[in-house]
């Protein structure tokens, strides 16, 4: 009888140990669930961010879900966020649409103890764990300094941006650097909507007007590659050569530098933005402290490093 009791206890101990190991393995293997709601996925800039997120999810063992509305509008993003809220992820990483209506929606996540991280676009009034992205005033300063380095005091430079707080910050930074270098700024326009489907045509009209009034223009600083590229095109059509800077580091813009069409530009690091957001999200799920502002940096792209950047983009976007 005593032997049977000992055997029973031994069997029970073994089974308990197996269950403990199994339970522990399940706990260890459980990946944190993070949903990434981007503003769009219909251009290369957002594709580069997605590539960074995907690699980050692999490296940090995060169960990541990436999505974006078909239209870059607040209404569409709010609908998407409503659905995500029902899923109750561990962390929400979002690039908020430019609208005050987004703020109360994000606060709903916070109230349900779902940490919110902002990527690409900061919103100071949101109760977020962190912002991961570019210091846009600093990007503008670097763009202005780069432009000034290619010109002479008194030369004329036009500033062209879109209607968004982010791009206004870039124009503000560029203006500060240019004025400090003695560059004349006869034209500054921030009148193109960020989601305008006729953006290229409007850029053409803006440039035609500027060149008509200021035929001695020497350079153009834009707030995004998606303005810089059509600016370069209209200049080429008119047989004009002058420096133009963008902001995003997409392939088409870097190719213009690599080919020698442009001497240089500045570029965000959207891939790093995506990758760093995954790392930050994982730390949040572990209760680790993170910086409130995680700067993904700004690169100066010139002929010397343009090919290296292009090769990197080809690798991550394959």
């Amino acid at each position: 009888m005593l032997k049977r009791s000992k055997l029973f206890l031994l069997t029970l101990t073994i089974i308990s140990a197996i269950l403990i190991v199994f339970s522990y393995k399940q706990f260890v293997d459980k990946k944190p669930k993070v949903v990434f709601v981007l503003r769009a996925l219909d251009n290369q800039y957002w594709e580069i961010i997605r590539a960074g997120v995907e690699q980050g999810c692999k490296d940090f063992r995060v169960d990541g879900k990436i999505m974006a509305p078909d239209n870059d509008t607040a209404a569409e993003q709010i609908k998407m966020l409503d659905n995500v809220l029902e899923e109750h992820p561990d962390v929400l990483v979002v690039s908020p649409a430019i609208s005050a209506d987004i703020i109360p929606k994000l606060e709903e996540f916070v109230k349900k103890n779902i940490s919110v991280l902002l990527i690409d676009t900061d919103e100071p009034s949101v109760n977020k764990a962190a912002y991961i992205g570019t210091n846009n005033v600093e990007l503008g300063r670097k763009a202005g300094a780069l432009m000034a380095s290619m010109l002479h005091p008194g030369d004329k430079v036009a500033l062209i941006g879109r209607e968004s707080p982010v791009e206004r910050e870039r124009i503000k930074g560029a203006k500060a650097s240019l004025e400090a270098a003695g560059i004349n700024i006869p034209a500054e326009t921030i009148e193109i909507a960020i989601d305008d489907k006729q953006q290229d045509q409007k850029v053409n009209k803006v440039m035609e007007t500027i060149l008509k009034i200021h035929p001695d223009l020497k350079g153009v600083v834009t707030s995004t590659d998606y303005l810089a590229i059509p600016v370069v095109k209209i200049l080429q059509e008119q047989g004009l050569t002058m420096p133009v800077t963008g902001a995003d580091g997409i392939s088409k813009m870097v190719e213009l530098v690599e080919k020698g069409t442009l001497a240089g530009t500045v570029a965000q690091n959207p891939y790093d933005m995506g990758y760093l957001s995954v790392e930050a999200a994982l730390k949040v799920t572990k209760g680790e402290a993170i910086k409130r502002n995680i700067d993904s940096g700004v690169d100066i792209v010139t002929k010397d490093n343009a090919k290296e950047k292009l090769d990197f983009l080809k690798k991550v976007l394959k």
Side-chain angles (χ1 to χ4, degrees):
M1 187 69 178
L2 185 60
K3 288 183 179 181
R4 287 183 181 180
S5 297
K6 287 183 178 179
L7 182 60
F8 175 75
L9 288 172
L10 178 61
T11 304
L12 188 61
T13 301
I14 293 171
I15 293 172
S16 298
I18 292 172
L19 288 173
I20 290 170
V21 170
F22 179 75
S23 299
Y24 176 75
K25 188 175 185 303
Q26 279 193 317
F27 175 77
V28 170
D29 290 345
K30 185 179 182 297
K31 297 180 181 180
K33 183 178 179 181
V34 183
V35 176
F36 299 81
V37 179
L38 306 181
R39 286 236 306 274
L41 283 170
D42 60 353
N43 64 42
Q44 193 185 83
Y45 174 78
W46 294 105
E47 289 175 359
I48 299 169
I49 288 181
R50 177 170 62 182
V53 170
E54 289 174 343
Q55 188 60 51
C57 288
K58 290 179 183 177
D59 291 352
F60 296 111
R61 291 182 51 77
V62 166
D63 179 8
K65 183 178 181 181
I66 307 167
M67 61 180 72
D70 293 331
N71 299 311
D72 184 3
T73 63
E76 290 296 317
Q77 192 176 70
I78 286 172
K79 288 179 184 177
M80 186 164 283
L81 289 170
D82 280 332
N83 294 331
V84 174
L85 191 59
E86 292 182 3
E87 297 178 21
H88 206 285
D90 296 307
V91 180
L92 169 70
V93 179
V94 58
S95 177
I98 302 166
S99 170
D101 295 335
I102 291 292
I103 298 170
K105 181 56 59 180
L106 296 180
E107 293 298 337
E108 290 183 31
F109 283 82
V110 177
K111 288 176 183 177
K112 289 195 173 184
N113 295 317
I114 301 170
S115 296
V116 175
L117 303 179
L118 301 188
I119 182 174
D120 171 75
T121 303
D122 195 8
E123 178 49 71
S125 58
V126 170
N127 185 16
K128 58 187 177 291
Y131 161 65
I132 304 100
T134 305
N135 180 328
N136 288 292
V137 174
E138 183 60 24
L139 181 147
R141 287 183 185 278
K142 288 187 176 182
L146 176 63
M147 179 63 66
S149 72
M150 296 184 277
L151 302 177
H152 302 285
D155 283 346
K156 293 182 178 181
V157 169
L159 304 178
I160 302 177
R162 299 185 298 189
E163 294 178 338
S164 84
V166 164
E167 296 190 24
R168 286 180 183 276
E169 287 183 346
R170 295 173 188 169
I171 294 298
K172 177 183 176 182
K175 189 174 182 178
S177 287
L178 290 167
E179 289 179 342
I183 301 297
N184 186 9
I185 304 171
E188 177 181 346
T189 178
I190 308 177
E191 61 184 41
I192 301 169
I194 200 164
D195 57 350
D196 196 325
K197 302 302 180 185
Q198 296 183 322
Q199 184 172 274
D200 286 6
Q201 294 92 314
K202 291 191 176 179
V203 172
N204 288 346
K205 289 181 180 179
V206 167
M207 278 303 300
E208 285 173 0
T209 301
I210 292 173
L211 290 170
K212 185 176 181 179
I213 300 172
H214 305 285
D216 54 346
L217 191 73
K218 298 297 183 182
V220 183
V221 173
T222 72
S223 59
T224 171
D225 290 357
Y226 294 100
L227 295 180
I229 291 167
V231 166
V232 172
K233 183 178 178 182
I234 192 170
L235 290 173
Q236 289 175 327
E237 289 172 353
Q238 297 198 21
L240 299 172
T241 301
M242 66 180 70
V244 178
T245 63
D248 306 306
I250 63 172
S251 295
K252 284 185 179 180
M253 193 68 183
V254 181
E255 284 170 1
L256 290 172
V257 177
E258 197 269 338
K259 292 175 182 177
T261 304
L262 295 177
T265 187
V266 297
Q268 302 182 81
N269 289 302
Y271 182 87
D272 291 353
M273 218 178 282
Y275 192 89
L276 290 170
S277 71
V278 182
E279 182 180 27
L282 179 61
K283 287 183 177 180
V284 166
T285 64
K286 292 181 176 180
E288 298 179 14
I290 60 173
K291 293 180 180 179
R292 287 277 292 173
N293 287 282
I294 300 173
D295 192 345
S296 51
V298 177
D299 290 337
I300 305 296
V301 182
T302 65
K303 181 76 172 176
D304 292 338
N305 63 3
K307 186 179 184 304
E308 180 183 354
K309 195 163 188 70
L310 282 174
D311 289 344
F312 174 76
L313 292 174
K314 289 175 184 177
K315 179 182 177 181
V316 301
L317 292 173
K318 63 182 179 180

